[in-house]
Amino acid sequence: MRVIQFILDLGPTVMMPVIITLLGLLFRQKFAKAFRAGLTIGIGFAGINLVIGLLVNNLSPATQAMVNNWGLSLDVMDVGWPISAAISFGTTIVPAVFIIGFVINIIMLAMNWTKTMNVDLWNYWHFIFTGALVMFATDSLALGLVAAALTIIIILKLADWTSPLVQDFFGLDGVSLPHTETVSWAPVGIAINKILEKIPGINKIELDTDMIQKRFGIFGEPMLMGLFLGAIIGGVASYDLRGIIQLGVNMAAVMFLMPRMVRILMEGLIPLSESARDFISKKFPGKEVYIGLDAAIAIGHPAVISTGLVMIPITLLLAAVLPGNRLLPFTDLAILPFFMIWAVAPSRGNVFRGIITGTIFMIGILYIGTAISGVSTVMAKSVGFAFPEGTAEISSLDGGAHLVPYIIYKVIELIF
């Protein structure tokens, strides 16, 4: 556990250069080329994290102001994904899940059961979260490990299945996204998009960022869309004029900078992907391998961020009116663009369809977040989490986004 914690504490900006350099050497790259690629990817991740920090640090106060202004009062607090991750890493199941994750990925690659080489170690907490949910619900470590293993297998398969769209639409060559709380919704998003394609009228509405830019010229550019959407969010949050302008400019900066940070990351990843393809085609003809990365590299698409910003007030409205919902959206409202990746990608950036699909996503996420609040609270108490004053139960929008883990959790709970 100390070794795992040491690696996690280094963070992706340090460990990614190490991992990518080792993979480059494995695929017969010269050390200088492998190290340069690894360091470039680490710099790309550092840039992405900085821009995500800009997004979250500016949106969080605005979303909190919305919650306060709207007078929402629900009894399950959204404590956010960092707390969910910390609680997961505090459970006793952690070392076993890491070992199981490595072994399953290696076996599936060797047996041609997956094409995804998952190097996204920091998001193993998703698998740990699944195992912990089941372990605490059933009081069985064995069932918890089974649940974690099933999640790993399904997420790797979903990453394989969605990788052609990831590479084509997002321009991430040789990449897949084994990111549980996002790729879990890919089948739902693809199914909804197929339904929308068959509805007269709706199937004619095209509102992607390219069309917006053609129609509105400079005012349709991503950075100006960020400016306008940020200003609208600031207005809804009842900011003063200075606050509205500041939020608008910062959202414009996010829309402008994020794609450039992703391009830096891809500059380092492309040489690795090419070397991997060459090496594998020689050693294993017909075999293909994708590098499994954090879905953070996909939220830089303007349609994803735009849809995520629009969904903030919609999510608060849903929380207020949905019968049976007890989860008060709060901390994780700032990361809604993550949840919108597979609301937008199936329609190739159609923001109109993305909002419809994203609304359906958020209904499910709110209900799942409510449903797991009891066991999430038990998990939090077991690791000594300090509950906010007046809070009886906790959950998170991110926890509610774990669709595949929730299905596995419910099936095992019903059987055992």
Side-chain angles (χ1 to χ4, degrees):
M1 186 62 205
R2 285 195 296 271
V3 172
I4 291 170
Q5 195 60 54
F6 176 79
I7 293 171
L8 293 171
D9 288 344
L10 289 175
T13 55
V14 175
M15 281 307 299
M16 284 306 291
V18 175
I19 293 171
I20 298 302
T21 300
L22 292 175
L23 286 176
L25 295 174
L26 175 66
F27 296 138
R28 301 293 188 265
Q29 284 183 343
K30 292 183 178 179
F31 176 79
K33 184 177 181 180
F35 180 72
R36 185 185 186 283
L39 188 58
T40 302
I41 290 173
I43 292 168
F45 265 112
I48 289 170
N49 287 335
L50 286 172
V51 179
I52 291 175
L54 179 65
L55 175 75
V56 172
N57 291 338
N58 281 275
L59 277 183
S60 290
T63 57
Q64 291 172 17
M66 284 187 205
V67 172
N68 294 332
N69 293 342
W70 291 22
L72 293 180
S73 181
L74 298 163
D75 65 341
V76 177
M77 173 62 72
D78 166 22
V79 294
W81 76 265
I83 300 301
S84 296
I87 291 170
S88 298
F89 279 126
T91 60
T92 57
I93 203 171
V94 174
V97 173
F98 265 92
I99 294 169
I100 289 170
F102 292 143
V103 171
I104 286 177
N105 199 182
I106 291 169
I107 291 173
M108 290 181 70
L109 283 167
M111 300 299 293
N112 289 323
W113 294 339
T114 186
K115 297 178 181 180
T116 295
M117 181 188 302
N118 187 8
V119 299
D120 185 19
L121 303 182
W122 300 269
N123 284 317
Y124 264 53
W125 80 263
H126 302 153
F127 311 138
I128 296 164
F129 181 74
T130 312
L133 277 179
V134 172
M135 181 177 72
F136 279 92
T138 63
D139 197 26
S140 170
L141 173 62
L143 289 176
L145 294 177
V146 168
L150 287 173
T151 302
I152 293 164
I153 292 168
I154 293 170
I155 294 303
L156 289 174
K157 297 301 291 184
L158 285 175
D160 291 345
W161 181 56
T162 56
S163 61
L165 188 53
V166 168
Q167 296 180 44
D168 181 34
F169 176 66
F170 292 111
L172 302 172
D173 188 43
V175 169
S176 66
L177 303 177
H179 195 247
T180 306
E181 73 262 52
T182 55
V183 78
S184 290
W185 293 90
V188 182
I190 290 169
I192 293 171
N193 185 61
K194 288 182 177 179
I195 294 170
L196 294 176
E197 285 178 350
K198 299 181 183 301
I199 300 176
I202 288 180
N203 59 7
K204 301 298 183 184
I205 300 174
E206 294 290 339
L207 196 63
D208 60 36
T209 50
D210 290 337
M211 186 279 294
I212 294 172
Q213 189 165 347
K214 286 178 183 177
R215 178 167 295 182
F216 296 101
I218 187 174
F219 295 103
E221 290 184 8
M223 63 178 176
L224 285 173
M225 289 171 56
L227 177 68
F228 295 142
L229 289 171
I232 291 170
I233 293 292
V236 175
S238 299
Y239 276 12
D240 58 18
L241 181 59
R242 182 178 64 179
I244 290 172
I245 294 172
Q246 288 175 334
L247 183 58
V249 171
N250 282 320
M251 291 305 99
V254 169
M255 296 281 271
F256 183 81
L257 291 172
M258 184 65 84
R260 285 157 175 77
M261 297 303 103
V262 173
R263 283 203 289 272
I264 293 172
L265 184 145
M266 291 306 298
E267 181 183 328
L269 191 62
I270 287 171
L272 176 68
S273 298
E274 291 173 347
S275 298
R277 277 197 292 268
D278 292 342
F279 176 81
I280 289 168
S281 64
K282 291 177 183 177
K283 299 290 185 180
F284 309 99
K287 189 180 178 69
E288 188 176 15
V289 172
Y290 306 135
I291 307 300
L293 296 176
D294 191 325
I297 66 173
I299 73 164
H301 195 284
V304 173
I305 298 179
S306 299
T307 305
L309 293 177
V310 172
M311 286 304 303
I312 290 173
I314 292 175
T315 299
L316 285 171
L317 181 61
L318 289 172
V321 302
L322 285 176
N325 172 61
R326 297 169 53 215
L327 177 61
L328 176 65
F330 196 64
T331 307
D332 277 343
L333 282 170
I335 63 164
L336 284 192
F338 279 87
F339 305 150
M340 295 302 112
I341 291 172
W342 291 106
V344 169
S347 63
R348 297 185 176 274
N350 189 325
V351 175
F352 175 75
R353 292 192 193 181
I355 292 170
I356 294 174
T357 305
T359 299
I360 296 171
F361 281 12
M362 294 314 300
I363 291 171
I365 287 170
L366 286 166
Y367 278 133
I368 293 172
T370 296
I372 64 172
S373 62
V375 68
S376 296
T377 301
V378 172
M379 286 169 54
K381 289 179 178 178
S382 75
V383 300
F385 172 70
F387 281 67
E389 186 176 350
T391 301
E393 291 191 39
I394 65 165
S395 188
S396 66
L397 290 175
D398 189 276
H402 283 66
L403 178 60
V404 168
Y406 177 69
I407 293 171
I408 292 172
Y409 159 70
K410 289 304 292 183
V411 169
I412 291 178
E413 186 182 48
L414 289 171
I415 294 174
F416 296 96

